[in-house]
Amino acid sequence: MRHAGTQPPGRGDKHADTRRSRRTPGRRRSSSAAVRQRLNGSGVDWLSDIVSGLSGWPLLVLVGALAFGECAAFVGLILPGETALLIGGALAATGRTNIAALVIVAAVCAVIGDSVGYEIGRRVGMPLRRSRLGRWIGEERWQRAERFIDRHGPAAVMLGRWVGVLRALVPALAGMTRMPYRRFLLYNVIGGVSWATAVILIGYVLGESWKRAESYLGEAGAGIAAAVVLALIVRWLVKRRRRRHHR
């Protein structure tokens, strides 16, 4: 005798399987985005711990490697080199490394990294985009970078430096679209040198409060970043003058 309101085992199992199959695709999509977000969050914390414990040439090597790998190997999609530059600048303010050496190493590595990214895009761009790594990056990100290049032309190489996702993808797309390398290199040098110098100076001026700058950088445009840098430099100069007057 069957109780009221119950279903035969076979029918109940079918309905349960159907409900599970309907929910699975959405769950997979959301979990993929969540994994990326968790990787980014834990990556920044891990990076902060590692960089903060270094000084001298090991600090220069790590900051340079991250500035290089951000575009050359799409490392910036997981570990932002910008964060390493901010922390490096803050550590330079405490005497853990020379700020001039840090700026030079970061700028040179950033320019070389972009050039390697350009060559990767020129040689294996479309196969890379269709590969597992390209699918993990996501078609929406690729299209966003494409629209950015279409809108700004070669200047996108310089402006893209100030946006995390674009910083990692624009060099490869510039190579895929066969942007003339001389034009690419010009804007690459301008963007790499200005980005490395500005971000390290922000970390240097803010010191231990470098995390405040992360909200302005990353998704900020070049104009906002330049305004932040200018404001911080002016503030630092004013404080320095006041200290001299008090002496």
Side-chain angles (χ1 to χ4, degrees):
M1 184 175 175
R2 194 184 302 146
H3 292 288
T6 59
Q7 291 179 335
R11 287 177 61 194
D13 289 345
K14 279 184 181 180
H15 288 308
D17 291 342
T18 305
R19 285 194 296 272
R20 285 191 201 103
S21 64
R22 284 176 184 168
R23 286 196 298 262
T24 301
R27 187 178 295 166
R28 283 179 182 169
R29 283 194 296 268
S30 61
S31 64
S32 176
V35 166
R36 284 198 198 100
Q37 192 172 1
R38 282 198 299 271
L39 278 172
N40 273 317
S42 60
V44 169
D45 293 338
W46 174 83
L47 179 64
S48 175
D49 292 340
I50 294 295
V51 177
S52 297
L54 298 177
S55 61
W57 67 264
L59 176 60
L60 295 177
V61 169
L62 182 57
V63 170
L66 287 169
F68 170 82
E70 190 144 28
C71 302
F74 306 106
V75 172
L77 296 170
I78 301 173
L79 295 176
E82 199 165 68
T83 302
L85 266 62
L86 282 169
I87 302 171
L91 294 176
T94 65
R96 300 266 287 275
T97 191
N98 182 275
I99 189 168
L102 186 65
V103 169
I104 292 169
V105 168
V108 170
C109 289
V111 171
I112 295 174
D114 266 26
S115 293
V116 172
Y118 174 93
E119 282 299 315
I120 289 173
R122 192 175 71 85
R123 295 175 183 273
V124 294
M126 287 311 298
L128 174 67
R129 187 166 174 174
R130 290 192 295 263
S131 70
R132 188 172 182 179
L133 173 61
R135 291 194 300 272
W136 183 84
I137 291 170
E139 188 60 26
E140 184 180 343
R141 288 175 170 177
W142 287 110
Q143 290 178 4
R144 180 183 176 188
E146 278 183 340
R147 290 193 299 269
F148 193 76
I149 290 178
D150 289 341
R151 190 181 308 124
H152 299 288
V157 178
M158 176 185 66
L159 298 173
R161 270 281 170 197
W162 301 95
V163 184
V165 173
L166 300 179
R167 188 162 56 243
L169 297 181
V170 164
L173 280 169
M176 288 167 63
T177 58
R178 296 297 192 271
M179 182 185 293
Y181 183 71
R182 286 186 180 181
R183 285 188 182 178
F184 172 85
L185 184 60
L186 172 64
Y187 287 100
N188 177 19
V189 170
I190 295 171
V193 172
S194 62
W195 172 74
T197 304
V199 175
I200 289 172
L201 281 177
I202 290 173
Y204 186 85
V205 173
L206 287 181
E208 293 181 0
S209 303
W210 61 266
K211 283 193 175 183
R212 283 178 5 207
E214 283 191 309
S215 59
Y216 294 101
L217 296 169
E219 291 301 321
I224 296 175
V228 171
V229 173
L230 182 61
L232 289 171
I233 291 174
V234 169
R235 182 184 171 189
W236 180 67
L237 289 172
V238 168
K239 282 187 175 180
R240 193 176 179 183
R241 281 188 177 182
R242 285 178 181 172
R243 286 174 187 169
R244 284 182 179 178
H245 284 307
H246 284 305
R247 287 177 186 175

